[in-house]
Every structure is written in structure tokens, then in C-alpha cells.
Amino acid sequence: MEYSDIASVAGKGGLFKVIKPTRTGVILESLDDARKKLIANATQRISVLSDISIYTTDQEGSTPLPDIFKTIFDEFEDDPGIDSNSDTDELKAFLKHVLPEYDEQRVYPSDIKKLVSWYKILLKEAPELIKNGNQDASAESTDQ
């Protein structure tokens, strides 16, 4: 599994594995114990994790989510010390520790909650992704 195989659907909690495309959308399966299937159509906002990044104030302007997950794992391994129910100040301090150059004006506490929640889901359901880092990006860099 790769980051490009995992998606988030607006309005739905959690993460979903992309099973296969259909004529009008895509079939997804939840990454939890229930393994519920969902058919997402073209009107729903679906974001693949490999395409999501966090705004930063540095020259690049953003950092890919897989890189942030790898940084969190390198620093905290399986216990980041917070969860999605933590205080807003704790969440901001956590992200500031992990990604010091994150843009505090454009990254909301709800975004940090999703980041922490998704990290814990991936750690449970697809730990090889986090432990091995951003394989999608490393595959692209070896092609050049």
C-alpha cells in the first residue's frame, strides 16, 4: 500500500483505502475494523494522502503529509503524546515541534486534529507506510 492508495472524503471521518475506480466515481473501503465499503461519486471531495500538504512559511510554501508523518514517527514512534481531543494549544505546540515553519495563519486546529487522527489510523492499519517514509516521492526521485 502507498499514500496514493489512501484517501480522505470530505464530511466522512477517518481514512479510506481506494479499491477501484468506477464510471462515476471510486469504490472505497474504510481503514478501520468495520471495513465498510463506500461508493464516492464525482461530486464528493476526495483527497489522496500523497497530494495533501501542510502550509509553511518557508520558500517552498508547504510540506507533504507523508514527510510530516515520517518526522512524527522518527520523533515519537507510536505515541505522539496527544490525540485529536487534546487542547488547541497542545495541538499547536505539537505541530510547531514537528514542523517549526508551519503557517499558523493558514493551518487550523481542525487540520492538526486530522493530522493526529490520521497518523494514529495509519500507525494501526498501515505502519509500513510511516516507518518507510514517503515511498511515492523516493520512487519519483530515482526515475530522474
Side-chain angles (χ1 to χ4, degrees), residues 9-73:
V9 179
K12 304 278 185 196
L15 293 173
F16 298 86
K17 179 180 178 185
V18 177
I19 302 297
K20 68 179 185 177
T22 66
R23 287 185 300 137
T24 59
V26 65
I27 298 173
L28 304 170
E29 180 180 69
S30 64
L31 277 183
D32 59 14
D33 295 333
R35 301 283 185 214
K36 291 185 179 181
K37 290 205 164 98
L38 165 74
I39 298 175
N41 60 35
T43 61
Q44 290 178 298
R45 288 188 333 191
I46 302 168
S47 301
V48 178
L49 290 191
S50 62
D51 294 341
I52 298 174
S53 57
I54 301 281
Y55 291 116
T56 59
T57 56
D58 62 6
Q59 191 172 14
E60 292 182 24
S62 66
T63 300
L65 198 58
D67 293 349
I68 297 168
F69 286 150
K70 180 64 175 151
T71 303
I72 294 170
F73 182 76

Side-chain angles (χ1 to χ4, degrees), residues 40-121:
N41 60 35
T43 61
Q44 290 178 298
R45 288 188 333 191
I46 302 168
S47 301
V48 178
L49 290 191
S50 62
D51 294 341
I52 298 174
S53 57
I54 301 281
Y55 291 116
T56 59
T57 56
D58 62 6
Q59 191 172 14
E60 292 182 24
S62 66
T63 300
L65 198 58
D67 293 349
I68 297 168
F69 286 150
K70 180 64 175 151
T71 303
I72 294 170
F73 182 76
D74 290 344
E75 181 79 23
F76 300 100
E77 293 188 4
D78 61 345
D79 185 19
I82 63 169
D83 60 22
S84 56
N85 296 324
S86 294
D87 182 63
T88 300
D89 292 333
E90 287 181 69
L91 291 167
K92 288 180 180 181
F94 171 76
L95 188 57
K96 191 73 164 171
H97 177 76
V98 173
L99 186 66
E101 63 276 2
Y102 93 94
D103 189 339
E104 296 181 37
Q105 301 299 316
R106 295 167 58 183
V107 178
Y108 301 104
S110 60
D111 299 327
I112 305 170
K113 287 179 181 184
K114 282 185 214 171
L115 173 79
V116 172
S117 173
W118 292 351
Y119 177 79
K120 289 188 175 195
I121 291 170

